[in-house]
Amino acid sequence: MLLPTQDIAGLCAHWHRIDESLLSDTGVELWLYCPTTTEPMISGNKWMKLQYHIKLIQQQQYRGLVTFGGAFSNHLAASAAAAQLNGFDATAYVRADVIDRQNPTLQYCLTKGMTLIATDRQTYRQRQQPDFLKMLALRHPGCLIIPEGGSSELGARGVAGLNLTDTPAGPADVIATATASGGTLAGLIAASTQQSAVSSNSAKVLGLTVVNDLSLPEKVANLLAEQAVDAACWRIVATAPDQRYAKCPAEHVNFCCEFTLKHNIAVEPVYTGRALFKLYKMIAAGEFAQGSRISFFHTGGLQGLAGLYYRQLITQQQYQILSAAAVG
């Protein structure tokens, strides 16, 4: 079955208004935008970031794709699923010393026919270097090279097709999302800019970064280089600068479980849950004016729950709570 690439394939988007005493006490309104597709592994933001890459592969008749990711990468799982559904090859350079076939994410990628190449950290750091990319192009002729996380101009373009400004209750004042590689954030900034150009509605975009990457603002700006974007319309805030990426401190995991049980919306502690935790802290600190309406983009990533349990970063009970309410 081929997924159509003209639009967001099989997208079913759900808006959820979040009711919390914190929100009523501060007068802040919070809406979650939760997109799913017919293939759970490419739900959230993944299909949006991949759709134009896939379209290019089909138009240019590439034989497949080559991409990059960590051993528990949502992007790798989504790329493997998309390649298998569309009938082309997929190869991934995995940041790992060996390919662990018991790892749930890598196991899934292998079942979808993706070729996995273990890549040491020193080599992996070259993934954005022109000479390294030229070498890969020679090694994998006829393949489209997709950056880590799908964060390219094509990836941002896919996300820019979303309208998170208009919630069911009216225009949002703030659009918020978790960000790591920057593609989703760049797309939302572009979308908000486009929306403000055709209507009186404009929203500030808030990227809640889950990685400690000082170059992230530059990466986002580069993805927006060809667009007329006001730098004042977006900002990046660190979620937990004292915590390494994907280490899942207890307070984040507990927050995710409590949120999931209360709202029946699964969030994981690496991306969405970590970003929501920080957003709640900002709301409690009075960083949003009373009457503010926040639109929060749930980027999916729930396939990673199995990997967190596999690494014993969450307990069996926590895994059961979070996976039982998974939205995609």
Side-chain angles (χ1 to χ4, degrees), residues 207-231:
L208 297 157
T209 178
V210 299
V211 296
N212 298 325
D213 181 0
L214 296 178
S215 68
L216 184 57
E218 181 182 0
K219 291 176 181 176
V220 174
N222 288 339
L223 290 172
L224 295 167
E226 297 184 5
Q227 303 190 47
V229 172
D230 182 359

Side-chain angles (χ1 to χ4, degrees), residues 110-259:
L110 290 168
T111 65
K112 294 298 180 181
M114 176 178 264
T115 299
L116 303 179
I117 300 173
T119 309
D120 64 77
R121 289 182 179 273
Q122 182 176 354
T123 303
Y124 192 82
R125 291 190 188 99
Q126 302 178 54
R127 65 193 179 280
Q128 296 174 329
Q129 300 301 316
D131 289 344
F132 184 70
L133 293 174
K134 287 179 183 178
M135 181 270 291
L136 291 186
L138 293 173
R139 184 181 293 177
H140 304 279
C143 289
L144 178 66
I145 299 176
I146 300 177
E148 182 179 45
S151 290
S152 67
E153 292 181 6
L154 289 176
R157 178 184 170 192
V159 177
L162 291 175
N163 177 7
L164 271 69
T165 302
D166 296 323
T167 77
D173 301 293
V174 177
I175 297 171
T177 190
T179 184
S181 55
T184 295
L185 179 58
L188 294 183
I189 295 166
S192 179
T193 300
Q194 293 164 10
Q195 186 67 20
S196 64
V198 298
S199 71
S200 59
N201 300 336
S202 63
K204 301 285 187 179
V205 181
L206 174 64
L208 297 157
T209 178
V210 299
V211 296
N212 298 325
D213 181 0
L214 296 178
S215 68
L216 184 57
E218 181 182 0
K219 291 176 181 176
V220 174
N222 288 339
L223 290 172
L224 295 167
E226 297 184 5
Q227 303 190 47
V229 172
D230 182 359
C233 79
W234 63 279
R235 65 177 175 134
I236 293 175
V237 172
T239 54
D242 58 331
Q243 296 287 345
R244 291 181 59 193
Y245 169 69
K247 291 306 178 184
C248 304
E251 60 182 358
H252 291 171
V253 177
N254 291 337
F255 172 84
C256 289
C257 291
E258 292 170 5
F259 185 93

